[in-house]
Amino acid sequence: IYGPIPVSHFGETENPYESQQTVYENLFRDLDAAIATLTEYATNSADAHPLEKVDAIYQGDYPKWLKLANSVKLRMAMRIRFVEPGKAQEYAEAAVAAGVMESSDDGAWLKTSGSIVIFNPLEEVWNAYEDTRMGATIDAYMNGYDDPRLPIYFKGSELDSKYHGVRSGLKSMLKEHYTRLSVPNVAKTTPVVWMLASEVAFLRAEGALRGWAMGGDARSFYEEGIRLSFERCGVADQLTAYMASTALPGGYDDPAFGYSCSNQSTVTIPWNDGAAFEENLERIITQKWIANFPLGTEAWADYRRTGYPRLFPVVVNNNPDITNLQLGARRMTYPLEEYEANGETIRAAVDQWLGGQDKMSTRLWWDCNPRIR
C-alpha cells in the first residue's frame, strides 16, 4: 500500500525504513520458516487440535494452516512477477508443490467460534456509518453478466430493489445522494474473508498461462476458480449456464447522479484457447476480482499489477498528483503524523526508494508491468 516501511528492526532503538524489496525478502523468509514448522505439526499432529479454542480461523487445524501459508506464498510470488520473474516462478511452483488450497472449506475466514465472537467491520461501515455502497464497476460487470452471485454480495437498492452502484469521484458525495443504493450483504457476524480457495485457483490459472508448473492447465484452473466461487456462494446449480454465457460486461446506468458510462471491457466468460495471452489474462483477473469480493486491497494490487479488470475512471479528479486517470492511484501517501514523528527517516526513505515523490501516482517496487504506462 505505502511502499517502504520499517520492519526488520521493529522494537529496537533504531527502526529504519526499508525498501519494499527488502520487506518482501524478509516476508518470504518468515513464511518459509512458518511453512517448515507447520509442515512438522501437520505431519505429526494432524488429528490434534490443541489451539481449537483460540483459533478463530481453522480451530487448530494444522494442515489447513499449512495450505493457507503456501497459498499466501503463491499470492506473493505472483505479486512480484514483473520485478523478479525468476524468483516469482520459483516461489510459485514451490508453493503449489507443497500444497495450496483446493476446496472451498480450505478458505480462511475470521469467524465467530465458540466463545470467540467476531464482528464484521464492513457491516459497521455500510450500516452505522452509512459510508459504503456498491461500486459502479462491479455493478456493470455483474449486471452485464447476469451474475447469480449478485444477491449474495449485495442487497437490492432502495430505489427499485435492483442492484445499483455509484461512480467514484463525484462532485457531490452527500450521504443522502447515495445511501439508497445497494449495500454489501454483510451482517454483524458475517465471517471476514482472509483468503479463498477460488483465488488460489485463479492464481494457478495465471501461472499456467505464463508457462509455470501449476499442476494443470490455465483453462482448468480458471473454470475451477469460478466453480469454487459459485459453490461458496450457494449458486452452484447456475454454474453451467454462467460458464456458457456470451454476455458482455455492461455499461453503467447511473440511477441517481447522471454519470452513466459505456462499458469498459468486452471480455466474455467462456475460456478461449485461441485468444491472445492478454485477453485470457483479462478473463482470469476479471473473474478472480468478482470471486474475491470484498477483498478490495487485493483487487487494487491486481489492477496495478495487470491493468485488469478495466475500471471506470473517476468522474472528477481532485488530486493534482494523478494526471493519468486510467492508471489512477498507485499507492497511499504516508500520513502527516508519520512525518511529524519520524520526519528525517521517512524523508530519507522517500528520496532513496520512491524517487523523492511521496505521491499517490508514485509506483511501488513491484508495480513495473511494461504494458502499463
Side-chain angles (χ1 to χ4, degrees):
I1 292 176
Y2 293 99
I5 55 174
V7 173
S8 300
H9 301 279
F10 181 78
E12 299 177 15
T13 303
E14 298 294 329
N15 184 23
Y17 273 66
E18 296 168 306
S19 71
Q20 197 169 36
Q21 179 178 6
T22 297
V23 172
Y24 265 68
E25 289 171 352
N26 289 342
L27 287 173
F28 275 117
R29 281 197 295 271
D30 288 348
L31 195 54
D32 281 341
I35 287 170
T37 300
L38 286 167
T39 299
E40 180 179 349
Y41 274 81
T43 302
N44 300 322
S45 311
D47 298 325
H49 299 86
L51 301 178
E52 182 174 2
K53 292 183 180 180
V54 293
D55 179 1
I57 306 297
Y58 290 127
Q59 292 71 56
D61 190 323
Y62 297 124
K64 287 189 176 181
W65 274 106
L66 178 58
K67 290 181 181 179
L68 172 60
N70 284 313
S71 299
V72 171
K73 183 176 180 178
L74 175 59
R75 175 197 276 179
M76 289 175 56
M78 195 62 73
R79 185 73 53 77
I80 64 171
R81 160 66 185 85
F82 291 103
V83 69
E84 295 275 10
K87 287 184 178 179
Q89 181 174 354
E90 175 190 345
Y91 294 154
E93 291 178 347
V96 169
V100 292
M101 297 178 184
E102 293 186 329
S103 64
S104 290
D105 63 0
D106 287 335
W109 292 270
L110 184 64
K111 53 186 177 292
T112 295
S113 176
S115 61
I116 303 173
V117 179
I118 301 297
F119 292 114
N120 193 312
L122 189 56
E123 188 275 341
E124 182 76 7
V125 176
W126 79 254
N127 191 6
Y129 294 174
E130 295 187 327
D131 275 348
T132 295
R133 294 299 181 268
M134 184 186 197
T137 301
I138 200 166
D139 167 340
Y141 277 88
M142 296 190 79
N143 277 307
Y145 287 148
D146 194 20
D147 198 308
R149 291 168 289 185
L150 257 174
I152 310 303
Y153 288 177
F154 300 99
K155 297 181 180 181
S157 73
E158 295 178 9
L159 299 175
D160 54 13
S161 298
K162 296 180 180 179
Y163 301 95
H164 295 296
V166 60
R167 289 280 298 275
S168 296
L170 300 188
K171 292 181 180 179
S172 174
M173 286 294 286
L174 299 177
K175 285 188 176 181
E176 58 264 30
H177 291 168
Y178 66 83
T179 51
R180 299 179 67 197
L181 302 181
S182 296
V183 301
N185 191 9
V186 174
K188 282 188 179 297
T189 56
T190 298
V192 179
V193 177
W194 272 18
M195 193 171 191
L196 301 169
S198 55
E199 178 187 344
V200 177
F202 288 119
L203 285 166
R204 295 175 78 176
E206 182 179 350
L209 186 68
R210 298 186 183 282
W212 299 355
M214 295 286 99
D217 61 89
R219 176 176 189 157
S220 297
F221 286 127
Y222 169 77
E223 293 177 348
E224 177 67 359
I226 299 175
R227 187 196 69 77
L228 286 167
S229 179
F230 271 54
E231 180 180 85
R232 174 177 81 93
C233 293
V235 293
D237 59 325
Q238 300 182 64
L239 175 64
T240 300
Y242 183 83
M243 295 286 285
S245 172
T246 56
L248 297 174
Y252 171 61
D253 185 12
D254 192 332
F257 302 102
Y259 293 115
S260 297
C261 191
S262 59
N263 67 328
Q264 302 295 293
S265 172
T266 57
V267 71
T268 52
I269 300 166
W271 185 262
N272 183 355
D273 283 319
F277 176 92
E278 283 297 328
E279 179 184 324
N280 276 332
L281 178 61
E282 180 179 1
R283 189 166 275 116
I284 291 169
I285 300 300
T286 299
Q287 289 298 325
K288 177 185 178 185
W289 169 70
I290 295 173
N292 252 3
F293 180 83
L295 294 180
T297 303
E298 192 61 28
W300 184 32
D302 272 344
Y303 177 73
R304 289 175 288 168
R305 182 176 64 83
T306 67
Y308 306 120
R310 300 181 190 271
L311 308 177
F312 292 114
V314 297
V315 176
V316 177
N317 175 29
N318 287 319
N319 189 332
D321 292 343
I322 296 177
T323 57
N324 187 323
L325 297 188
Q326 194 60 52
L327 292 178
R330 311 308 288 183
R331 62 180 289 274
M332 292 295 291
T333 56
Y334 294 114
L336 177 61
E337 292 86 348
E338 184 67 4
Y339 277 98
E340 293 173 345
N342 203 14
E344 183 178 345
T345 303
I346 197 171
R347 280 189 286 271
V350 170
D351 288 342
Q352 184 173 0
W353 293 301
L354 295 177
Q357 303 290 314
D358 183 10
K359 297 180 178 180
M360 293 184 76
S361 58
T362 303
R363 290 175 179 259
L364 299 182
W365 167 69
W366 50 263
D367 181 7
C368 58
N369 185 340
R371 189 185 62 80
I372 303 173
R373 286 289 181 265

